[in-house]
Amino acid sequence: MKIFSEFWPLKYLLSEHGVCLGLDTKRRSYLFLLHPGGILFRRRPVGDTIVEDLQYEIPAIVRALNGAVERS
């Protein structure tokens, strides 16, 4: 089961895999994830759609964010 909101600058996703909170500002997007493997906090580009692109699946989002960090 997933519950999410994309209507306001503060976005949330709740699922059996964890919690994802997002905040959009004019300069950056911020993503906070609490999942069984730990906690992630990432700054993302404005208009980032990683959560939507990965179908609101927290495990896939975590893998993508960790992969992006490793390539940097």
Short mmCIF file of all heavy atoms in Angstrom, two decimals:
data_model
loop_
_atom_site.label_atom_id
_atom_site.label_comp_id
_atom_site.label_asym_id
_atom_site.label_seq_id
_atom_site.Cartn_x
_atom_site.Cartn_y
_atom_site.Cartn_z
N MET A 1 0.84 -1.18 0.00
CA MET A 1 0.00 0.00 0.00
C MET A 1 0.88 1.24 0.00
O MET A 1 1.86 1.31 0.74
CB MET A 1 -0.89 -0.02 1.23
CG MET A 1 -1.81 1.15 1.31
SD MET A 1 -2.98 0.84 2.64
CE MET A 1 -3.33 2.48 3.10
N LYS A 2 0.54 2.22 -0.83
CA LYS A 2 1.28 3.47 -0.89
C LYS A 2 0.32 4.64 -0.74
O LYS A 2 -0.77 4.63 -1.30
CB LYS A 2 2.00 3.61 -2.23
CG LYS A 2 3.13 2.65 -2.42
CD LYS A 2 3.78 2.89 -3.75
CE LYS A 2 3.32 1.78 -4.66
NZ LYS A 2 3.92 1.80 -5.97
N ILE A 3 0.74 5.62 0.02
CA ILE A 3 -0.01 6.86 0.17
C ILE A 3 0.96 7.98 -0.16
O ILE A 3 2.05 8.03 0.40
CB ILE A 3 -0.54 7.02 1.62
CG1 ILE A 3 -1.45 5.85 1.98
CG2 ILE A 3 -1.26 8.34 1.77
CD1 ILE A 3 -1.83 5.81 3.44
N PHE A 4 0.56 8.88 -1.07
CA PHE A 4 1.46 9.96 -1.42
C PHE A 4 0.69 11.21 -1.81
O PHE A 4 -0.49 11.16 -2.14
CB PHE A 4 2.42 9.55 -2.53
CG PHE A 4 1.76 9.15 -3.82
CD1 PHE A 4 1.53 10.07 -4.81
CD2 PHE A 4 1.38 7.84 -4.02
CE1 PHE A 4 0.93 9.70 -5.99
CE2 PHE A 4 0.78 7.44 -5.21
CZ PHE A 4 0.55 8.40 -6.20
N SER A 5 1.37 12.33 -1.76
CA SER A 5 0.82 13.61 -2.16
C SER A 5 1.85 14.34 -2.99
O SER A 5 3.02 14.40 -2.63
CB SER A 5 0.47 14.46 -0.93
OG SER A 5 0.17 15.78 -1.34
N GLU A 6 1.42 14.92 -4.10
CA GLU A 6 2.30 15.68 -4.99
C GLU A 6 1.77 17.09 -5.22
O GLU A 6 2.18 17.74 -6.16
CB GLU A 6 2.42 14.96 -6.34
CG GLU A 6 3.21 13.69 -6.29
CD GLU A 6 4.70 13.93 -6.19
OE1 GLU A 6 5.17 14.98 -6.66
OE2 GLU A 6 5.40 13.07 -5.64
N PHE A 7 0.85 17.57 -4.41
CA PHE A 7 0.17 18.83 -4.69
C PHE A 7 0.83 20.07 -4.12
O PHE A 7 0.60 21.16 -4.61
CB PHE A 7 -1.28 18.77 -4.20
CG PHE A 7 -2.09 17.74 -4.93
CD1 PHE A 7 -2.53 16.60 -4.30
CD2 PHE A 7 -2.37 17.90 -6.27
CE1 PHE A 7 -3.27 15.65 -4.97
CE2 PHE A 7 -3.11 16.95 -6.96
CZ PHE A 7 -3.56 15.83 -6.30
N TRP A 8 1.61 19.98 -3.11
CA TRP A 8 2.18 21.13 -2.44
C TRP A 8 3.70 21.07 -2.53
O TRP A 8 4.26 20.05 -2.90
CB TRP A 8 1.75 21.14 -0.97
CG TRP A 8 0.27 21.16 -0.81
CD1 TRP A 8 -0.52 20.10 -0.50
CD2 TRP A 8 -0.61 22.26 -0.99
NE1 TRP A 8 -1.84 20.48 -0.46
CE2 TRP A 8 -1.92 21.81 -0.76
CE3 TRP A 8 -0.40 23.60 -1.32
CZ2 TRP A 8 -3.02 22.66 -0.84
CZ3 TRP A 8 -1.52 24.44 -1.40
CH2 TRP A 8 -2.79 23.96 -1.16
N PRO A 9 4.39 22.14 -2.17
CA PRO A 9 5.87 22.09 -2.17
C PRO A 9 6.43 21.02 -1.23
O PRO A 9 7.50 20.51 -1.45
CB PRO A 9 6.28 23.48 -1.70
CG PRO A 9 5.13 24.36 -2.04
CD PRO A 9 3.90 23.49 -1.90
N LEU A 10 5.67 20.66 -0.20
CA LEU A 10 6.07 19.57 0.69
C LEU A 10 5.35 18.32 0.23
O LEU A 10 4.12 18.26 0.22
CB LEU A 10 5.72 19.88 2.15
CG LEU A 10 6.08 18.81 3.16
CD1 LEU A 10 7.59 18.59 3.17
CD2 LEU A 10 5.62 19.20 4.54
N LYS A 11 6.11 17.32 -0.19
CA LYS A 11 5.54 16.08 -0.73
C LYS A 11 5.87 14.92 0.21
O LYS A 11 6.87 14.96 0.90
CB LYS A 11 6.12 15.81 -2.11
CG LYS A 11 5.77 16.91 -3.09
CD LYS A 11 6.62 16.85 -4.30
CE LYS A 11 6.33 17.84 -5.37
NZ LYS A 11 5.62 19.01 -5.10
N TYR A 12 5.04 13.90 0.21
CA TYR A 12 5.31 12.74 1.05
C TYR A 12 4.89 11.47 0.35
O TYR A 12 4.03 11.47 -0.53
CB TYR A 12 4.61 12.87 2.41
CG TYR A 12 3.11 12.93 2.34
CD1 TYR A 12 2.35 11.77 2.31
CD2 TYR A 12 2.45 14.15 2.31
CE1 TYR A 12 0.98 11.82 2.26
CE2 TYR A 12 1.08 14.22 2.26
CZ TYR A 12 0.34 13.05 2.23
OH TYR A 12 -1.03 13.11 2.16
N LEU A 13 5.55 10.40 0.77
CA LEU A 13 5.24 9.05 0.30
C LEU A 13 5.38 8.12 1.49
O LEU A 13 6.43 8.09 2.13
CB LEU A 13 6.21 8.65 -0.82
CG LEU A 13 6.31 7.18 -1.19
CD1 LEU A 13 4.98 6.65 -1.70
CD2 LEU A 13 7.41 6.97 -2.22
N LEU A 14 4.34 7.42 1.79
CA LEU A 14 4.34 6.44 2.88
C LEU A 14 4.06 5.08 2.27
O LEU A 14 3.10 4.93 1.51
CB LEU A 14 3.26 6.77 3.91
CG LEU A 14 3.23 8.19 4.46
CD1 LEU A 14 1.98 8.41 5.30
CD2 LEU A 14 4.47 8.47 5.26
N SER A 15 4.87 4.10 2.59
CA SER A 15 4.64 2.74 2.10
C SER A 15 5.17 1.75 3.12
O SER A 15 5.80 2.13 4.11
CB SER A 15 5.31 2.53 0.75
OG SER A 15 6.66 2.22 0.88
N GLU A 16 4.94 0.47 2.85
CA GLU A 16 5.46 -0.57 3.74
C GLU A 16 6.98 -0.62 3.71
O GLU A 16 7.60 -1.23 4.57
CB GLU A 16 4.85 -1.93 3.40
CG GLU A 16 5.21 -2.44 2.03
CD GLU A 16 4.27 -1.97 0.92
OE1 GLU A 16 3.38 -1.14 1.17
OE2 GLU A 16 4.45 -2.43 -0.21
N HIS A 17 7.61 0.05 2.75
CA HIS A 17 9.07 0.05 2.63
C HIS A 17 9.73 1.24 3.30
O HIS A 17 10.95 1.31 3.36
CB HIS A 17 9.48 0.03 1.16
CG HIS A 17 8.99 -1.18 0.44
ND1 HIS A 17 9.48 -2.44 0.69
CD2 HIS A 17 8.02 -1.32 -0.49
CE1 HIS A 17 8.85 -3.31 -0.08
NE2 HIS A 17 7.96 -2.66 -0.81
N GLY A 18 8.95 2.21 3.76
CA GLY A 18 9.53 3.35 4.43
C GLY A 18 8.75 4.63 4.17
O GLY A 18 7.60 4.61 3.75
N VAL A 19 9.44 5.74 4.42
CA VAL A 19 8.85 7.07 4.29
C VAL A 19 9.78 7.92 3.44
O VAL A 19 11.00 7.89 3.62
CB VAL A 19 8.69 7.74 5.68
CG1 VAL A 19 8.18 9.15 5.56
CG2 VAL A 19 7.80 6.90 6.57
N CYS A 20 9.21 8.68 2.53
CA CYS A 20 9.97 9.59 1.70
C CYS A 20 9.31 10.96 1.79
O CYS A 20 8.11 11.09 1.57
CB CYS A 20 9.98 9.11 0.25
SG CYS A 20 10.83 10.21 -0.89
N LEU A 21 10.08 11.96 2.15
CA LEU A 21 9.59 13.33 2.23
C LEU A 21 10.37 14.17 1.24
O LEU A 21 11.59 14.02 1.11
CB LEU A 21 9.76 13.90 3.64
CG LEU A 21 9.06 13.15 4.76
CD1 LEU A 21 9.46 13.74 6.11
CD2 LEU A 21 7.56 13.20 4.58
N GLY A 22 9.70 15.06 0.56
CA GLY A 22 10.36 15.94 -0.39
C GLY A 22 9.94 17.37 -0.17
O GLY A 22 8.81 17.65 0.22
N LEU A 23 10.86 18.29 -0.42
CA LEU A 23 10.59 19.71 -0.32
C LEU A 23 11.14 20.37 -1.57
O LEU A 23 12.33 20.22 -1.88
CB LEU A 23 11.23 20.31 0.93
CG LEU A 23 11.09 21.82 1.09
CD1 LEU A 23 9.63 22.19 1.27
CD2 LEU A 23 11.92 22.30 2.25
N ASP A 24 10.28 21.08 -2.29
CA ASP A 24 10.71 21.80 -3.49
C ASP A 24 10.83 23.28 -3.18
O ASP A 24 9.92 23.88 -2.62
CB ASP A 24 9.69 21.62 -4.62
CG ASP A 24 9.69 20.22 -5.18
OD1 ASP A 24 10.73 19.54 -5.06
OD2 ASP A 24 8.66 19.81 -5.73
N THR A 25 11.97 23.85 -3.53
CA THR A 25 12.18 25.29 -3.42
C THR A 25 12.51 25.82 -4.81
O THR A 25 12.62 25.05 -5.77
CB THR A 25 13.31 25.64 -2.44
OG1 THR A 25 14.55 25.21 -3.00
CG2 THR A 25 13.10 24.97 -1.09
N LYS A 26 12.72 27.10 -4.93
CA LYS A 26 13.06 27.68 -6.24
C LYS A 26 14.45 27.27 -6.70
O LYS A 26 14.73 27.23 -7.88
CB LYS A 26 12.97 29.20 -6.18
CG LYS A 26 11.56 29.70 -6.05
CD LYS A 26 11.50 31.19 -6.06
CE LYS A 26 10.06 31.65 -5.93
NZ LYS A 26 9.96 33.10 -5.98
N ARG A 27 15.34 26.95 -5.76
CA ARG A 27 16.73 26.63 -6.11
C ARG A 27 17.06 25.15 -6.07
O ARG A 27 17.94 24.69 -6.78
CB ARG A 27 17.67 27.36 -5.17
CG ARG A 27 17.62 28.85 -5.34
CD ARG A 27 18.61 29.49 -4.44
NE ARG A 27 18.56 30.94 -4.63
CZ ARG A 27 19.46 31.75 -4.18
NH1 ARG A 27 20.48 31.28 -3.48
NH2 ARG A 27 19.36 33.03 -4.40
N ARG A 28 16.39 24.38 -5.24
CA ARG A 28 16.72 22.96 -5.04
C ARG A 28 15.49 22.18 -4.64
O ARG A 28 14.52 22.72 -4.16
CB ARG A 28 17.75 22.78 -3.92
CG ARG A 28 19.12 23.22 -4.22
CD ARG A 28 19.84 22.13 -4.91
NE ARG A 28 21.23 22.54 -5.10
CZ ARG A 28 22.08 21.86 -5.79
NH1 ARG A 28 21.74 20.73 -6.34
NH2 ARG A 28 23.30 22.28 -5.95
N SER A 29 15.60 20.88 -4.79
CA SER A 29 14.64 19.94 -4.20
C SER A 29 15.41 19.14 -3.16
O SER A 29 16.59 18.84 -3.35
CB SER A 29 14.09 18.99 -5.26
OG SER A 29 13.24 19.68 -6.13
N TYR A 30 14.76 18.83 -2.08
CA TYR A 30 15.38 18.05 -1.00
C TYR A 30 14.57 16.79 -0.80
O TYR A 30 13.34 16.82 -0.80
CB TYR A 30 15.42 18.86 0.30
CG TYR A 30 16.25 20.11 0.17
CD1 TYR A 30 15.67 21.32 -0.20
CD2 TYR A 30 17.61 20.07 0.40
CE1 TYR A 30 16.44 22.46 -0.32
CE2 TYR A 30 18.39 21.21 0.28
CZ TYR A 30 17.79 22.40 -0.08
OH TYR A 30 18.55 23.53 -0.22
N LEU A 31 15.27 15.67 -0.64
CA LEU A 31 14.64 14.37 -0.46
C LEU A 31 15.16 13.75 0.83
O LEU A 31 16.37 13.67 1.04
CB LEU A 31 15.02 13.48 -1.64
CG LEU A 31 13.98 12.54 -2.19
CD1 LEU A 31 12.79 13.32 -2.71
CD2 LEU A 31 14.58 11.73 -3.31
N PHE A 32 14.26 13.31 1.68
CA PHE A 32 14.59 12.63 2.93
C PHE A 32 13.90 11.28 2.89
O PHE A 32 12.69 11.21 2.70
CB PHE A 32 14.10 13.46 4.12
CG PHE A 32 14.24 12.75 5.43
CD1 PHE A 32 15.46 12.74 6.09
CD2 PHE A 32 13.17 12.11 6.01
CE1 PHE A 32 15.59 12.09 7.31
CE2 PHE A 32 13.29 11.46 7.22
CZ PHE A 32 14.51 11.45 7.87
N LEU A 33 14.68 10.21 3.03
CA LEU A 33 14.12 8.86 3.02
C LEU A 33 14.47 8.13 4.30
O LEU A 33 15.63 8.12 4.72
CB LEU A 33 14.67 8.05 1.84
CG LEU A 33 14.08 8.40 0.50
CD1 LEU A 33 15.10 9.13 -0.31
CD2 LEU A 33 13.65 7.16 -0.18
N LEU A 34 13.50 7.52 4.89
CA LEU A 34 13.68 6.65 6.04
C LEU A 34 13.21 5.27 5.58
O LEU A 34 12.05 5.09 5.21
CB LEU A 34 12.83 7.14 7.21
CG LEU A 34 12.83 6.31 8.48
CD1 LEU A 34 14.25 6.24 9.06
CD2 LEU A 34 11.89 6.91 9.50
N HIS A 35 14.15 4.32 5.54
CA HIS A 35 13.85 2.99 5.02
C HIS A 35 14.57 1.95 5.88
O HIS A 35 15.40 2.32 6.71
CB HIS A 35 14.25 2.88 3.54
CG HIS A 35 15.70 3.12 3.30
ND1 HIS A 35 16.60 2.10 3.15
CD2 HIS A 35 16.42 4.27 3.21
CE1 HIS A 35 17.81 2.62 2.96
NE2 HIS A 35 17.72 3.92 3.00
N PRO A 36 14.28 0.66 5.70
CA PRO A 36 14.89 -0.36 6.56
C PRO A 36 16.42 -0.36 6.54
O PRO A 36 17.05 -0.74 7.52
CB PRO A 36 14.36 -1.68 6.00
CG PRO A 36 13.08 -1.31 5.35
CD PRO A 36 13.28 0.08 4.81
N GLY A 37 17.04 0.11 5.47
CA GLY A 37 18.49 0.15 5.38
C GLY A 37 19.13 1.38 6.00
O GLY A 37 20.34 1.49 6.08
N GLY A 38 18.32 2.33 6.44
CA GLY A 38 18.86 3.53 7.06
C GLY A 38 18.11 4.79 6.66
O GLY A 38 16.95 4.75 6.31
N ILE A 39 18.84 5.90 6.70
CA ILE A 39 18.29 7.21 6.42
C ILE A 39 19.11 7.85 5.31
O ILE A 39 20.35 7.78 5.33
CB ILE A 39 18.34 8.11 7.67
CG1 ILE A 39 17.49 7.49 8.79
CG2 ILE A 39 17.87 9.51 7.36
CD1 ILE A 39 17.64 8.20 10.12
N LEU A 40 18.44 8.48 4.36
CA LEU A 40 19.11 9.21 3.29
C LEU A 40 18.58 10.63 3.24
O LEU A 40 17.38 10.86 3.40
CB LEU A 40 18.85 8.58 1.92
CG LEU A 40 19.50 7.27 1.60
CD1 LEU A 40 18.99 6.77 0.24
CD2 LEU A 40 21.00 7.42 1.54
N PHE A 41 19.47 11.58 3.00
CA PHE A 41 19.08 12.96 2.75
C PHE A 41 19.86 13.43 1.54
O PHE A 41 21.09 13.33 1.51
CB PHE A 41 19.40 13.85 3.97
CG PHE A 41 19.06 15.29 3.72
CD1 PHE A 41 17.74 15.71 3.75
CD2 PHE A 41 20.05 16.21 3.45
CE1 PHE A 41 17.42 17.04 3.51
CE2 PHE A 41 19.74 17.54 3.22
CZ PHE A 41 18.42 17.95 3.25
N ARG A 42 19.16 13.87 0.51
CA ARG A 42 19.83 14.29 -0.72
C ARG A 42 19.25 15.60 -1.23
O ARG A 42 18.04 15.82 -1.17
CB ARG A 42 19.64 13.26 -1.84
CG ARG A 42 20.23 11.92 -1.55
CD ARG A 42 21.75 11.95 -1.68
NE ARG A 42 22.30 10.62 -1.66
CZ ARG A 42 22.69 9.99 -0.57
NH1 ARG A 42 22.55 10.55 0.59
NH2 ARG A 42 23.21 8.78 -0.64
N ARG A 43 20.14 16.47 -1.73
CA ARG A 43 19.71 17.64 -2.48
C ARG A 43 19.63 17.22 -3.94
O ARG A 43 20.52 16.53 -4.44
CB ARG A 43 20.70 18.78 -2.34
CG ARG A 43 20.56 19.50 -1.03
CD ARG A 43 21.48 20.65 -0.95
NE ARG A 43 22.82 20.08 -0.74
CZ ARG A 43 23.93 20.76 -0.71
NH1 ARG A 43 23.91 22.05 -0.89
NH2 ARG A 43 25.08 20.17 -0.51
N ARG A 44 18.58 17.62 -4.61
CA ARG A 44 18.36 17.25 -6.00
C ARG A 44 18.10 18.51 -6.82
O ARG A 44 17.74 19.55 -6.27
CB ARG A 44 17.15 16.32 -6.12
CG ARG A 44 17.19 15.08 -5.25
CD ARG A 44 18.21 14.08 -5.69
NE ARG A 44 17.83 13.59 -7.00
CZ ARG A 44 18.62 12.88 -7.79
NH1 ARG A 44 19.82 12.58 -7.40
NH2 ARG A 44 18.21 12.48 -8.96
N PRO A 45 18.25 18.43 -8.14
CA PRO A 45 17.96 19.59 -8.98
C PRO A 45 16.47 19.96 -8.93
O PRO A 45 15.62 19.10 -8.69
CB PRO A 45 18.33 19.12 -10.39
CG PRO A 45 19.11 17.88 -10.22
CD PRO A 45 18.78 17.30 -8.88
N VAL A 46 16.17 21.21 -9.19
CA VAL A 46 14.78 21.67 -9.23
C VAL A 46 14.04 20.86 -10.30
O VAL A 46 14.56 20.61 -11.38
CB VAL A 46 14.72 23.18 -9.55
CG1 VAL A 46 13.29 23.63 -9.77
CG2 VAL A 46 15.36 23.98 -8.44
N GLY A 47 12.83 20.44 -9.99
CA GLY A 47 12.03 19.70 -10.94
C GLY A 47 12.41 18.24 -11.07
O GLY A 47 11.93 17.54 -11.96
N ASP A 48 13.24 17.75 -10.16
CA ASP A 48 13.66 16.34 -10.19
C ASP A 48 12.44 15.43 -10.08
O ASP A 48 11.54 15.67 -9.29
CB ASP A 48 14.62 16.09 -9.02
CG ASP A 48 15.12 14.67 -9.01
OD1 ASP A 48 15.71 14.26 -10.02
OD2 ASP A 48 14.94 14.00 -7.99
N THR A 49 12.41 14.39 -10.90
CA THR A 49 11.25 13.49 -10.92
C THR A 49 11.64 12.04 -10.61
O THR A 49 10.97 11.11 -11.04
CB THR A 49 10.55 13.54 -12.29
OG1 THR A 49 11.50 13.16 -13.30
CG2 THR A 49 9.98 14.90 -12.58
N ILE A 50 12.70 11.84 -9.84
CA ILE A 50 13.17 10.48 -9.55
C ILE A 50 12.09 9.64 -8.87
O ILE A 50 11.92 8.48 -9.18
CB ILE A 50 14.48 10.50 -8.74
CG1 ILE A 50 15.07 9.09 -8.67
CG2 ILE A 50 14.27 11.06 -7.36
CD1 ILE A 50 16.48 9.06 -8.15
N VAL A 51 11.34 10.23 -7.96
CA VAL A 51 10.30 9.48 -7.25
C VAL A 51 9.21 9.04 -8.22
O VAL A 51 8.81 7.88 -8.23
CB VAL A 51 9.73 10.32 -6.08
CG1 VAL A 51 8.57 9.60 -5.41
CG2 VAL A 51 10.82 10.63 -5.06
N GLU A 52 8.75 9.96 -9.05
CA GLU A 52 7.71 9.62 -10.03
C GLU A 52 8.24 8.63 -11.06
O GLU A 52 7.54 7.68 -11.44
CB GLU A 52 7.21 10.88 -10.74
CG GLU A 52 6.54 11.87 -9.81
CD GLU A 52 7.51 12.90 -9.23
OE1 GLU A 52 8.75 12.74 -9.37
OE2 GLU A 52 7.04 13.85 -8.63
N ASP A 53 9.45 8.85 -11.55
CA ASP A 53 10.03 7.99 -12.57
C ASP A 53 10.17 6.54 -12.10
O ASP A 53 10.09 5.62 -12.90
CB ASP A 53 11.40 8.50 -13.01
CG ASP A 53 11.32 9.83 -13.75
OD1 ASP A 53 10.21 10.24 -14.15
OD2 ASP A 53 12.38 10.47 -13.91
N LEU A 54 10.39 6.36 -10.82
CA LEU A 54 10.57 5.01 -10.26
C LEU A 54 9.29 4.48 -9.62
O LEU A 54 9.33 3.60 -8.76
CB LEU A 54 11.74 5.01 -9.27
CG LEU A 54 13.09 5.32 -9.95
CD1 LEU A 54 14.19 5.48 -8.92
CD2 LEU A 54 13.44 4.23 -10.95
N GLN A 55 8.16 5.00 -10.07
CA GLN A 55 6.84 4.48 -9.70
C GLN A 55 6.57 4.49 -8.20
O GLN A 55 5.89 3.62 -7.68
CB GLN A 55 6.66 3.05 -10.23
CG GLN A 55 7.04 2.85 -11.67
CD GLN A 55 6.17 3.63 -12.63
OE1 GLN A 55 4.97 3.56 -12.53
NE2 GLN A 55 6.77 4.37 -13.53
N TYR A 56 7.15 5.45 -7.48
CA TYR A 56 6.92 5.60 -6.04
C TYR A 56 7.35 4.37 -5.25
O TYR A 56 6.77 4.06 -4.21
CB TYR A 56 5.45 5.94 -5.76
CG TYR A 56 5.01 7.22 -6.44
CD1 TYR A 56 4.43 7.19 -7.71
CD2 TYR A 56 5.19 8.44 -5.83
CE1 TYR A 56 4.04 8.35 -8.34
CE2 TYR A 56 4.81 9.62 -6.47
CZ TYR A 56 4.24 9.57 -7.72
OH TYR A 56 3.87 10.72 -8.34
N GLU A 57 8.36 3.67 -5.72
CA GLU A 57 8.88 2.47 -5.04
C GLU A 57 10.15 2.85 -4.27
O GLU A 57 11.19 3.11 -4.87
CB GLU A 57 9.19 1.36 -6.05
CG GLU A 57 7.98 0.78 -6.71
CD GLU A 57 7.07 0.02 -5.76
OE1 GLU A 57 7.56 -0.50 -4.73
OE2 GLU A 57 5.86 -0.04 -6.04
N ILE A 58 10.05 2.89 -2.96
CA ILE A 58 11.17 3.34 -2.13
C ILE A 58 12.44 2.52 -2.33
O ILE A 58 13.52 3.10 -2.45
CB ILE A 58 10.74 3.44 -0.64
CG1 ILE A 58 9.78 4.64 -0.49
CG2 ILE A 58 11.95 3.58 0.28
CD1 ILE A 58 9.23 4.85 0.88
N PRO A 59 12.39 1.18 -2.40
CA PRO A 59 13.64 0.44 -2.64
C PRO A 59 14.34 0.87 -3.94
O PRO A 59 15.57 1.01 -3.98
CB PRO A 59 13.20 -1.02 -2.69
CG PRO A 59 11.94 -1.05 -1.87
CD PRO A 59 11.27 0.26 -2.15
N ALA A 60 13.58 1.10 -5.00
CA ALA A 60 14.18 1.53 -6.28
C ALA A 60 14.75 2.94 -6.16
O ALA A 60 15.81 3.23 -6.72
CB ALA A 60 13.13 1.48 -7.38
N ILE A 61 14.08 3.81 -5.43
CA ILE A 61 14.57 5.18 -5.23
C ILE A 61 15.89 5.15 -4.47
O ILE A 61 16.84 5.84 -4.83
CB ILE A 61 13.52 6.03 -4.49
CG1 ILE A 61 12.24 6.14 -5.32
CG2 ILE A 61 14.07 7.40 -4.15
CD1 ILE A 61 11.04 6.64 -4.54
N VAL A 62 15.95 4.35 -3.42
CA VAL A 62 17.18 4.23 -2.62
C VAL A 62 18.33 3.72 -3.49
O VAL A 62 19.44 4.28 -3.46
CB VAL A 62 16.96 3.31 -1.40
CG1 VAL A 62 18.27 2.98 -0.72
CG2 VAL A 62 15.99 3.96 -0.42
N ARG A 63 18.08 2.68 -4.28
CA ARG A 63 19.13 2.16 -5.17
C ARG A 63 19.60 3.21 -6.16
O ARG A 63 20.80 3.36 -6.39
CB ARG A 63 18.63 0.92 -5.92
CG ARG A 63 18.60 -0.34 -5.08
CD ARG A 63 18.36 -1.58 -5.92
NE ARG A 63 17.13 -1.52 -6.69
CZ ARG A 63 15.93 -1.89 -6.25
NH1 ARG A 63 15.81 -2.36 -5.01
NH2 ARG A 63 14.87 -1.83 -7.03
N ALA A 64 18.68 3.94 -6.74
CA ALA A 64 19.05 4.98 -7.70
C ALA A 64 19.85 6.10 -7.06
O ALA A 64 20.85 6.55 -7.61
CB ALA A 64 17.80 5.55 -8.37
N LEU A 65 19.43 6.53 -5.88
CA LEU A 65 20.16 7.61 -5.19
C LEU A 65 21.55 7.15 -4.76
O LEU A 65 22.51 7.89 -4.87
CB LEU A 65 19.38 8.10 -3.98
CG LEU A 65 18.10 8.88 -4.30
CD1 LEU A 65 17.33 9.16 -3.03
CD2 LEU A 65 18.43 10.17 -5.03
N ASN A 66 21.67 5.92 -4.28
CA ASN A 66 22.98 5.42 -3.89
C ASN A 66 23.87 5.23 -5.11
O ASN A 66 25.06 5.50 -5.05
CB ASN A 66 22.85 4.11 -3.11
CG ASN A 66 22.41 4.33 -1.69
OD1 ASN A 66 22.63 5.39 -1.13
ND2 ASN A 66 21.77 3.34 -1.12
N GLY A 67 23.31 4.81 -6.21
CA GLY A 67 24.07 4.66 -7.45
C GLY A 67 24.55 6.02 -7.97
O GLY A 67 25.68 6.14 -8.44
N ALA A 68 23.72 7.04 -7.84
CA ALA A 68 24.09 8.38 -8.30
C ALA A 68 25.25 8.92 -7.46
O ALA A 68 26.14 9.57 -7.97
CB ALA A 68 22.89 9.31 -8.21
N VAL A 69 25.25 8.60 -6.18
CA VAL A 69 26.32 9.07 -5.29
C VAL A 69 27.63 8.36 -5.62
O VAL A 69 28.68 8.97 -5.68
CB VAL A 69 25.94 8.85 -3.80
CG1 VAL A 69 27.11 9.10 -2.89
CG2 VAL A 69 24.78 9.75 -3.43
N GLU A 70 27.54 7.04 -5.89
CA GLU A 70 28.76 6.27 -6.19
C GLU A 70 29.43 6.72 -7.47
O GLU A 70 30.63 6.69 -7.61
CB GLU A 70 28.41 4.78 -6.26
CG GLU A 70 28.03 4.20 -4.93
CD GLU A 70 27.42 2.82 -5.05
OE1 GLU A 70 27.43 2.26 -6.16
OE2 GLU A 70 26.94 2.31 -4.03
N ARG A 71 28.65 7.17 -8.48
CA ARG A 71 29.22 7.58 -9.76
C ARG A 71 29.88 8.95 -9.67
O ARG A 71 30.68 9.30 -10.50
CB ARG A 71 28.12 7.62 -10.82
CG ARG A 71 27.71 6.25 -11.28
CD ARG A 71 26.85 6.34 -12.50
NE ARG A 71 25.61 7.09 -12.27
CZ ARG A 71 24.44 6.54 -11.97
NH1 ARG A 71 24.35 5.23 -11.83
NH2 ARG A 71 23.38 7.28 -11.81
N SER A 72 29.49 9.77 -8.70
CA SER A 72 30.02 11.14 -8.60
C SER A 72 31.49 11.17 -8.27
O SER A 72 32.05 10.36 -7.62
CB SER A 72 29.24 11.91 -7.55
OG SER A 72 27.89 12.01 -7.93
#
